[in-house]
């Protein structure tokens, strides 16, 4: 997994953050929950990438 995956994971995290903020602003609980899930998924993938990088070094 390379730089492209890291960028994709960060984009997923930021997209989730945007969805969450939009859900809060519009009082859309479903969108807010979807944003939190996207953000959590992005964070977990980033953690996995960092772990892989640690073992590669």
């Amino acid at each position: 997994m390379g730089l492209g995956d890291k960028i994709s994971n960060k984009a997923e995290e930021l997209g989730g953050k945007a969805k969450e903020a939009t859900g809060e602003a519009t009082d859309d609980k479903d969108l807010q929950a979807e944003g939190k899930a996207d953000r959590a998924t992005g964070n977990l993938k980033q953690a996995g990438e960092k772990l892989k990088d640690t073992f590669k070094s």
Side-chain angles (χ1 to χ4, degrees):
M1 303 289 164
L3 181 61
D5 291 325
K6 291 178 184 178
I7 292 170
S8 176
N9 297 341
K10 189 64 174 178
E12 185 172 9
E13 179 190 349
L14 294 174
K17 208 171 200 178
K19 280 184 186 178
E20 189 177 352
T22 301
E24 285 182 27
T26 60
D27 201 30
D28 184 341
K29 299 294 181 191
D30 291 334
L31 186 60
Q32 192 175 3
E34 186 179 331
K36 283 184 182 182
D38 288 351
R39 196 165 51 132
T41 301
N43 283 334
L44 284 174
K45 288 179 181 178
Q46 283 184 36
E49 288 294 324
K50 288 179 183 176
L51 186 61
K52 286 181 201 174
D53 288 346
T54 299
F55 284 106
K56 283 183 181 179
S57 299

